[in-house]
Amino acid sequence: MRASQFLIATLKETPSDAEVISHQLMLRSGMVRKVASGLYNWLPAGLRTLRKVERIVREEMDRSGAQEVLMPAIQPAELWQESGRWEKYGPELLRVRDRHNREFCVGPTHEEVITDLVRNEIQSYKQLPANFYQIQTKFRDEVRPRFGIMRSREFIMKDAYSFHSNMDSLQQTYDLMHKTYCNIFDRIGLDYRPVLADNGSIGGNSSHEFHVLASSGEDDIAFSDSSDFAANIEMAEAIAPAGERAAPTAEMTLVDTPDAKTIAQLVEQHGLAIEQTIKTLFVKASEECEAEFIALLVRGDHDLNELKAEKLAQVAAPLEMAEEEAIKSLIGAGPGSLGPVNLPIPCIVDRTVAQMSDFGAGANIEGKHYFGINWDRDVALPEVADIRNVVEGDPSPCGTGTLSIKRGIEVGHIFQLGQQYAKALNATVLDENGKAVVMEMGCYGIGVTRVVASAIEQNYDDRGIIWPESIAPFSIALVALKYEKSEVVREQADKFYEELTSAGYEVILDDRPKVSPGAKMADMELMGIPHRVVISDRGIEAGTLEYKGRRDAEKQEIAIAELNDFISRTVKK
RNA sequence: CGGGGCAUAGCGCAGCCUGGUAGCGCAUCUGCUUUGGGAGCAGAGGGUCGUAGGUUCGAAUCCUGCUGCCCCGACCA
């Protein structure tokens, strides 16, 4: 490609509303442009990268034996009503009507459509397992699109759905997809981790997210420092502290704490270590409980894990915190003064809390706390459960090592759906005995557009993007200085351009007239082209060209006669 | 959904407080010079000041509604 014939839409200044680095650099390098909130144009350079990601995904999916299909972006309401999700999905599902006033939605995902297809086309267990995938535009009407294409409303996703006559077969395909995803992210060249994830309300046995590690990530991932263990913080078990609970040393005393409405204030005003405090959270109780609310207790510096709490039988799902008014009318004290002593409602304490001695907590009297509380002596120890988020330094639940926590960008998610959709849509096959059985399903997604952004989050410097070679829009930038004026430069540049292109390299020849050397080089660096060759009068006179890799600190001089050899040694096709 | 902010040329911004016919840098176009790190000079084009209404002799500027966009929050007592 000749730069003079190619839209190089680079910007010197960073658009003011771009927050994260990938968004800034995709705008500055002319990869994308915003059309409206959460909607983007892909410009030629960006699209080349996007297509390369797609190609890698497609090749690896094909290699795994999956079959590519293409489903419509617009889906009839009937299928969603059949699965029950027309009601459940909420405002993220963009609903539209056609000219006959029939209802449709813009697909955020395709379980319904694929299940409908498969129930019509597959009748026998002999046709299973089957795995169908597509690479297609999705729409989710996000509450708050942000970070450019990282969380946009319209995005491209590779979604795959597998069908099975039994769970063993599902597990096999699931494992195969796990491996396939590792192959895909390895080939792209990302620093990523498969992590244990929640499978949400869907159920099923197993779920993994694939996270690209980057400080701008929106998820917290817990890792063991000495094993492969990695889990979304939502899922990481906080194991009970080792050893016995220390014996009481303090008397329980009632303390006036009129100005301590938060744990932070309590600690500051009364000289208590935060590890000696507990916080008491009131949440809606489930039908299982007699009371309307149930209290959950975690250590002052710990956070409640909503997902873990929701899974407790006594807690209503979805988790709902009590209103301040409701607490006051029930206890007579506000949220800042709650604690386990003389608590009139049921209570569940975190494992760590159960091991604490001589701790401070609200007295359930407005403006008062008890200090020196001890379980059993002062108040009976209630039911104990794991209800907090793990923190840095916790022992790993796998048994070896301690946990550290990093930020991740979720680029892939695989999970076992089981029979949820197949049952709702009555998707069955005949088994060996001629009996209809509901199919088991798995589903496997990769956020293709998000992969592009996350690659930048991991690979950039102060000059711009540094694409992994596998997905760079071009692999070699031939920068021809004074192309329009110098005949020798023009001849040499055209010659190399032809040779390298016909040898199969993706080359962009910067032949733009009247663009200064500095501007050409700055643009090629901003656009993240991995290899750069400069052709100039000065070099040709000396019989050399200058080569610089995008990550190299130093340029090197290459003899003109050596260039083709040098490139074939240095550049991956 | 709650809170905050912004909306003036393709991009980044000033002007608004204190009302008087819109400006700067980058980008674009023309010409000349320049060409190894985002060139210089000279000239040119480009704006219903988001939108609707109000106040006023006069509104980018003051007031009100609407729309769009951005940020923060949405368990953490």
Side-chain angles (χ1 to χ4, degrees), chain A residues 263 278-285 293-300 302-306 309 315 319-323 327 335-340 343 345-350 364 387-388:
Chain A
I263 294 284
I278 62 175
K279 60 184 170 197
T280 304
L281 311 169
F282 280 24
V283 302
K284 268 265 170 59
F293 297 110
I294 182 164
L296 302 177
L297 271 58
V298 296
R299 202 170 77 183
H302 286 159
D303 290 336
L304 181 69
N305 181 312
E306 200 168 318
V315 173
L319 189 89
E320 201 181 322
M321 302 300 291
E323 300 285 337
I327 295 174
S337 306
L338 303 178
L343 188 66
I345 62 170
C347 178
I348 294 178
V349 305
D350 183 63
N364 299 322
I387 55 172
R388 70 171 173 94

Side-chain angles (χ1 to χ4, degrees), chain A residues 215-479:
Chain A
S215 55
S216 59
E218 295 189 87
D219 292 294
D220 284 310
I221 312 299
F223 297 85
S224 166
D225 62 2
S226 46
S227 82
D228 286 343
F229 178 85
N232 195 306
I233 196 162
E234 298 175 334
M235 286 292 288
E237 182 185 1
I239 63 178
E244 295 290 302
R245 183 166 71 224
T249 62
E251 288 305 307
M252 183 167 85
T253 51
L254 189 62
V255 181
D256 279 323
T257 54
D259 300 319
K261 297 291 177 207
T262 66
I263 294 284
Q265 289 165 348
L266 186 69
V267 166
E268 195 182 321
Q269 294 165 14
H270 298 276
L272 223 55
I274 196 163
E275 295 81 8
Q276 289 302 113
T277 63
I278 62 175
K279 60 184 170 197
T280 304
L281 311 169
F282 280 24
V283 302
K284 268 265 170 59
S286 69
E287 315 226 318
E288 193 132 325
C289 268
E290 285 161 26
E292 188 188 356
F293 297 110
I294 182 164
L296 302 177
L297 271 58
V298 296
R299 202 170 77 183
D301 57 329
H302 286 159
D303 290 336
L304 181 69
N305 181 312
E306 200 168 318
L307 214 65
K308 291 176 181 175
E310 237 172 56
K311 286 180 180 162
L312 296 171
Q314 300 95 318
V315 173
L319 189 89
E320 201 181 322
M321 302 300 291
E323 300 285 337
E324 183 163 345
E325 287 313 306
I327 295 174
K328 278 195 171 143
S329 67
L330 186 67
I331 304 296
S337 306
L338 303 178
V341 181
N342 300 325
L343 188 66
I345 62 170
C347 178
I348 294 178
V349 305
D350 183 63
R351 288 166 173 172
T352 307
V353 171
Q355 293 282 54
M356 289 166 67
S357 316
D358 300 333
F359 56 86
N364 299 322
I365 303 168
E366 188 61 31
K368 291 185 192 296
H369 281 74
Y370 283 115
F371 290 176
I373 308 172
N374 282 279
W375 295 118
D376 299 335
R377 187 192 71 182
D378 304 319
V379 55
L381 181 65
E383 181 174 336
V384 177
D386 171 24
I387 55 172
R388 70 171 173 94
N389 279 335
V390 293
V391 295
E392 194 96 24
D394 275 345
S396 172
C398 70
T400 38
T402 57
L403 292 178
S404 63
I405 293 172
K406 286 186 184 168
R407 304 289 280 177
I409 302 165
E410 183 188 345
V411 291
H413 196 170
I414 59 177
F415 51 107
Q416 301 187 3
L417 294 172
Q419 298 185 329
Q420 152 139 347
Y421 293 95
K423 202 179 268 172
L425 298 189
N426 195 29
T428 61
V429 287
L430 295 183
D431 67 9
E432 297 92 322
N433 307 313
K435 198 176 127 231
V437 294
V438 175
M439 287 184 263
E440 303 285 345
M441 285 174 67
C443 91
Y444 319 93
I446 290 180
V448 176
T449 36
R450 188 180 281 183
V451 165
V452 175
S454 63
I456 297 174
E457 291 293 331
Q458 260 182 5
N459 300 283
Y460 68 93
D461 62 13
D462 54 2
R463 295 180 170 188
I465 300 170
I466 307 176
W467 289 116
E469 295 209 33
S470 59
I471 60 171
F474 298 96
S475 58
I476 302 169
L478 277 183
V479 177

Side-chain angles (χ1 to χ4, degrees), chain A residues 477-484 489-490 492-494 508-512 515 517 520 533-536:
Chain A
L478 277 183
V479 177
L481 305 184
K482 286 198 285 188
Y483 180 88
E484 74 280 15
V489 165
R490 190 160 61 241
Q492 195 61 255
D494 286 347
I508 182 161
L509 168 61
D510 198 342
D511 58 349
R512 290 176 291 172
V515 175
K520 286 181 177 176
V533 175
V534 178
I535 301 164
S536 66

